[in-house]
Amino acid sequence: LRRAGTTPPFPVAPTSPSAAAPARDNSAVAPEPRLRCTPGDKEQRYGPAREVESSGPVEAGPGACTFDARHLYTKKVCGYGSVRAVSYNILADTYAQTEFSRTVLYPYCAPYALEIDYRQNLLKKELAGYSADLICLQEVDKSVFVDSLAPALDAFGLEGLFKIKEKQHEGLATFYRRDNKHLQCCSALFEIILFMSLGGNIRLIQIAVAMSHIKHVACDLYPSIPVIFCGDFNSTPSSGTYSFISKRCSMSLSHPFKLLSACGEPAYTNYVGGFHGCLDYIFIDRNALEVEQVIPLPSHEEVTTHQALPSVSHPSDHIALICDLKWK
């Protein structure tokens, strides 16, 4: 393989060690990059060379990303009897592109790094590197699901389902590995559970309704099926919502499940200029599942390299939760 130009997989800009988001570096643009490839094998047999030239400019990559170190833990798909689960609020474009977002929520983020064309390529790289069996995404734009994430993750053996929120421009997506037999037998449930997957401003009563629905699915329709309940709950560990789900205190509301936060209570899963806290969880049925491994979150230094999230090296204001689960 001989490269006459550089063709990185996504149009991004170089990082900077400073806290402020770097400006776009137009000097890094290389016009008309060309890629020439000569196929061959270990027997030194070669086919005819082929060449392709880009119709547009190519820019430098983002350098080190917040998820690079995490990929070292997820190089391989889990073995039989285990499931790698990911929960991630990916920041919908409909929210990232408002004037309020650009000037108040994320003023530290370079405008080009808030563009969906930029962020979705970082997302594809990040998600593909997790080798997950189950991916639950929140704040997913329909066009991003249809045109970008679904085709990209399909190439890695993941089937995707999407449900748009009522009267909203974004929704929720669930991807599951087609060749994981534990998930295949449950695939009929995803459409049902996906409808009840929760994002946005969650209140205790909404969670109670959701748990009632999950009880109907897991106890009445499919008795004894394990529960994995994950998402952006917009609730910290000190909230009534978290206490209700994990049964840390007695309430008049109740549910029949024994749920455990598989990734514990991180210092934060959402980090923006004016707030940081733990809002995202992967709750698992402790009677049926146990945690094999929790993939470490990015270091505080990595998260704050460009002051806060999102940034040129991280595509969302949330951080993905990842854990390996094993059936008991």
Side-chain angles (χ1 to χ4, degrees):
L1 175 67
R2 181 177 69 84
R3 294 188 298 175
T6 55
T7 312
F10 42 82
V12 288
T15 58
S16 165
S18 64
R24 184 183 290 270
D25 184 1
N26 291 323
S27 65
V29 175
E32 298 181 352
R34 187 181 300 109
L35 179 69
R36 181 181 176 85
C37 181
T38 302
D41 60 19
K42 62 182 180 180
E43 304 297 332
Q44 296 189 342
R45 295 176 296 186
Y46 300 99
R50 292 291 184 268
E51 188 174 281
V52 63
E53 185 173 293
S54 173
S55 59
V58 173
E59 301 165 17
C65 293
T66 53
F67 47 80
D68 288 341
R70 309 185 85 189
H71 285 171
L72 298 177
Y73 295 87
T74 59
K75 290 182 178 180
K76 296 181 180 180
V77 176
C78 283
Y80 179 78
S82 298
V83 171
R84 178 168 299 136
V86 174
S87 182
Y88 197 5
N89 180 327
I90 64 173
L91 180 58
D93 186 51
T94 189
Y95 304 142
Q97 290 304 314
T98 66
E99 184 66 21
F100 182 75
S101 293
R102 289 191 292 266
T103 59
V104 178
L105 290 180
Y106 319 121
Y108 48 82
C109 185
Y112 70 86
L114 281 175
E115 296 287 340
I116 190 59
D117 286 344
Y118 182 97
R119 293 193 301 113
Q120 70 182 355
N121 285 302
L122 279 181
L123 283 166
K124 287 186 287 187
K125 179 183 179 183
E126 179 177 6
L127 293 173
Y130 290 147
S131 306
D133 299 289
L134 178 64
I135 301 176
C136 299
L137 303 178
Q138 303 88 48
E139 289 195 21
V140 183
D141 298 279
K142 184 177 181 180
S143 60
V144 171
F145 175 83
V146 173
D147 300 329
S148 184
L149 294 180
L153 295 179
D154 177 75
F156 291 92
L158 295 167
E159 188 77 22
L161 296 165
F162 176 78
K163 195 78 172 181
I164 198 162
K165 294 181 190 174
E166 186 177 355
K167 298 180 181 179
Q168 299 288 334
H169 298 287
E170 48 89 7
L172 303 119
T174 299
F175 293 88
Y176 63 97
R177 188 166 297 282
R178 284 187 289 263
D179 61 3
N180 187 310
K181 293 182 179 180
H182 291 289
L183 296 179
Q184 279 183 335
C185 68
C186 305
S187 60
L189 290 178
F190 285 125
E191 187 85 39
I192 302 171
I193 295 176
L194 184 61
F195 180 77
M196 289 302 300
S197 295
L198 295 172
N201 296 318
I202 302 174
R203 297 293 181 263
L204 180 57
I205 190 64
Q206 291 176 294
I207 290 292
V209 172
M211 296 303 293
S212 176
H213 180 80
I214 293 173
K215 177 182 178 229
H216 174 63
V217 173
C219 298
D220 301 333
L221 298 181
Y222 302 89
S224 302
I225 193 169
V227 171
I228 301 175
F229 186 33
C230 56
D232 171 11
F233 291 80
N234 271 335
S235 301
T236 63
S238 62
S239 68
T241 295
Y242 185 90
S243 296
F244 169 65
I245 295 174
S246 58
K247 293 184 175 178
R248 285 203 310 196
C249 61
S250 59
M251 294 184 178
S252 56
L253 293 172
S254 65
H255 63 80
F257 306 106
K258 293 183 178 179
L259 298 178
L260 168 73
S261 177
C263 298
E265 301 172 6
Y268 52 79
T269 60
N270 175 245
Y271 199 103
V272 296
F275 171 83
H276 63 272
C278 181
L279 304 177
D280 305 82
Y281 309 94
I282 299 177
F283 291 106
I284 63 171
D285 184 346
R286 66 174 69 199
N287 287 334
L289 297 163
E290 59 185 358
V291 180
E292 277 192 317
Q293 174 185 218
V294 175
I295 308 306
L297 272 66
S299 68
H300 185 68
E301 181 182 11
E302 290 172 320
V303 170
T304 58
T305 297
H306 302 290
Q307 187 174 334
L309 304 178
S311 70
V312 295
S313 60
H314 191 87
S316 175
D317 55 347
H318 286 251
I319 301 169
L321 292 179
I322 314 152
C323 61
D324 293 351
L325 308 173
K326 184 178 181 180
W327 263 259
K328 288 185 176 179

